[in-house]
Amino acid sequence: METITKTKLPEKEVKQEFKKETTVKIQGSEAVVRSLIEEGADLIFGYPGGAIMPVYDEFYKVQDKIHHVLTRHEQGAIHAAQGFARSSGKVGVVIATSGPGATNLITGIADAQIDSTPLVCITGQVGSNLLGSDAFQETDVVSISTPVTKWNYQVTKASEIPAVIAKAFYIAKSGRPGPVLIDITKDAQFEEFDFSYKKCEKIRSYHPVPKMDPEKVKEAADMINKAKKPFVVFGQGVVLAQAEKEFKDFIEKADIPAASTLLGLSALPTDHNLNMGMVGMHGHYAPNVLTNECDVLIAIGMRFDDRVTGSLDTYAKQAKIIHFDIDPAEIDKNVKTDIAVLGTVKETLAELIPMIDKNKNQKWHQEFHDLRKIEYDRIIHPQTKPTQEKLTMGEVIAAVNEQTNGDAILVSDVGQNQMMTSRYGKFNTTKSKITSGGLGTMGFGLPAAMGAKLGRPDREVVAFIGDGGFQMTIQELGTIMQTKIPVKIVVLNNEFLGMVRQWQELFFDRRYASTVMTNPDFVKIVEGYGIKAQRVSKRENLKDAIADMIASEDAYFVEVIVEKEENVFPMIPSGASVSDVRLK
């Protein structure tokens, strides 16, 4: 992505970011709140503390304009902001105090950076006269966050606040999105100045969208038209660019089989005839195997993550590679491309489609269907329609699919629950799959689901969480109780850290070191927060429990006791070729 200078701009340059039209003399704390209102940020997640208290005092005065969600931990706040941003397409906003409040945001900021989620994070800081003195709750959050933010800035004068916040929103949402952080000293929050606000529309030397080269588009079209076995791998870039229609029009015209990355799920409806599933370590059999059989591999809005490629030494070596992406830094970073088409994929695909020949690739499609049948017979059918006594994760997800008609937003935590939800979830609508992809953050699921529901109150939101990840942010049940967020929660309880246990079974001779979980009574805990809950351990009770959950107008919790030593297959062992995908 474009490098944004993270050093502090001189006050004069900051002030010149906008022209003053009408001014009013106010404190910096009020300027923060007024600036957020100007940016349309009417929902904010956070946790108060001493260094940010002046801003919270201003929030108290504008409760009719800004709804503040008090989470139970700053990590819960930032994951909720991520879920909000991912479901709504807006910039998520989170606010915290200095020291531990700020450092508790770092995991979520790193998660947002690698998953291209637009966030504006505002932290309080000790007075500017105390900077560098190891004052109470002082932490150099600007230095700490520099590697995991798209841009950050420390405000020491109130007059800087409007232009810095305007820049922050522009940077967070432009080009390849990402998180920004603004650290505001306490004296800057009290200082008075003449306030005016103008949204940022450009920044000198920052070019978030590279200029499209029509010649590269034409070269790509020629290569695609000549291909005998073309294959598309698409990622979240399609969703971020709002290019779902252009993408579908392209693959339908060229009749190209397509498979998704983890974060690309829901950019194309699950049941679309050209959707071959998901690639990657626990992706579907056919697209993984046939990655090494295609003659042209077209990557659209994805970054060739190691979980997608497996061993780079053997990844698609027979194929010509075409890469469509907005971020020049991703080109040739992991996989050498033959043609790189830079720009937002909404524009580049629109340019490409008229040049593409209508095609039929029946023989090539048959290869996918043959391998898909093998996977269905050996894995999918036994998982979703099991005959053994114990419930499986796949059948739980299938039961939710059935009762939501594939129209719900499915949020998952990290681990086996994540892979099972991604493999067996049905996604009819874009922005329907929310999870922590690149960082793989356990504890993400519950707060992200809260944020997703607040971002899209018109849609059903169901969180699938493992018993391990649930306990990492279980305190956010208090946020659900206080804010009355009608989110639905399914805990898949196998009394293990399931994904780690699977690796221990397959690669460490079943030495289950520190992965057995002795769990509390989840139903009692959830009911203690005033949330309806039930436990399911028998198949005959599953359907009714899911029906009760979906029918509820309030938050609802279902704990499902599943097979303890169930594994997620297919699986590509770490460092192996995508062709070495295992079915058992």
Side-chain angles (χ1 to χ4, degrees), residues 204-215:
R204 187 177 59 193
S205 79
Y206 171 51
H207 306 289
V209 180
K211 187 177 180 181
M212 178 178 60
D213 183 346
E215 284 301 313

Side-chain angles (χ1 to χ4, degrees), residues 240-303:
L240 294 175
Q242 301 179 49
E244 293 89 348
K245 181 182 185 302
E246 290 81 0
F247 175 71
K248 186 164 78 73
D249 289 348
F250 161 58
I251 61 171
E252 287 178 347
K253 185 176 183 181
D255 195 39
I256 302 179
S260 170
T261 66
L262 177 64
L263 294 187
L265 289 168
S266 83
L268 184 69
T270 303
D271 292 333
H272 192 284
N273 67 304
L274 293 174
N275 192 337
M276 301 300 161
M278 182 176 72
V279 292
M281 180 171 281
H282 292 288
H284 291 88
Y285 188 53
N288 274 322
V289 170
L290 295 177
T291 293
N292 282 355
E293 298 292 334
C294 67
D295 60 355
V296 175
L297 177 61
I298 306 137
I300 301 178
M302 55 86 74
R303 60 188 180 87

Side-chain angles (χ1 to χ4, degrees), residues 414-426:
V414 169
Q416 289 183 319
N417 66 88
Q418 178 186 44
M419 292 297 103
M420 290 295 194
T421 306
S422 301
R423 286 180 49 76
Y424 298 108
K426 296 290 186 184

Side-chain angles (χ1 to χ4, degrees), residues 29-30 32-34 36-37 41 43-48 52-68 93-96 122:
S29 55
E30 185 178 350
V32 171
V33 174
R34 285 196 179 202
L36 292 173
I37 292 171
L43 180 67
I44 293 173
F45 303 88
Y47 204 97
I52 199 67
M53 205 174 297
V55 173
Y56 269 85
D57 188 52
E58 295 299 327
F59 282 146
Y60 185 82
K61 301 171 186 177
V62 293
Q63 295 178 58
D64 58 329
K65 296 179 180 177
I66 293 181
H67 176 47
H68 177 273
V93 181
V94 61
I95 189 164
I122 299 173

Side-chain angles (χ1 to χ4, degrees), residues 3 29 31 52 168 208 286 310 366 381 489 514 537 541 560:
T3 301
S29 55
I52 199 67
Q366 191 60 48
H381 186 270
I489 307 157
S514 300
S537 58
N541 299 329
V560 184

Side-chain angles (χ1 to χ4, degrees), residues 174-203:
S174 60
R176 181 177 179 177
V180 302
L181 181 139
I182 306 169
D183 193 44
I184 309 176
T185 61
K186 196 165 185 178
D187 54 314
Q189 297 173 48
F190 283 120
E191 184 183 10
E192 290 189 343
F193 75 109
D194 291 326
F195 173 86
S196 68
Y197 197 83
K198 183 177 181 181
K199 289 188 178 184
C200 181
E201 296 178 352
K202 65 178 181 178
I203 300 171

Side-chain angles (χ1 to χ4, degrees), residues 3 5 12 44 73 149 191 203 270 272 319-320 322 429 438 447 577:
T3 301
T5 303
K12 181 179 179 182
I44 293 173
H73 191 283
T149 50
E191 184 183 10
I203 300 171
T270 303
H272 192 284
K320 298 289 186 181
I322 304 172
T429 310
S577 168

Side-chain angles (χ1 to χ4, degrees), residues 29 40 87 176 185 206 219 241 267 300 314 360 371 396 403 407 523 532 554 570:
S29 55
S87 72
R176 181 177 179 177
T185 61
Y206 171 51
E219 289 177 25
I300 301 178
T314 58
K360 288 293 180 184
L371 294 180
V396 178
Q403 298 197 38
D407 293 324
V523 169
K532 298 174 185 177
D554 303 313

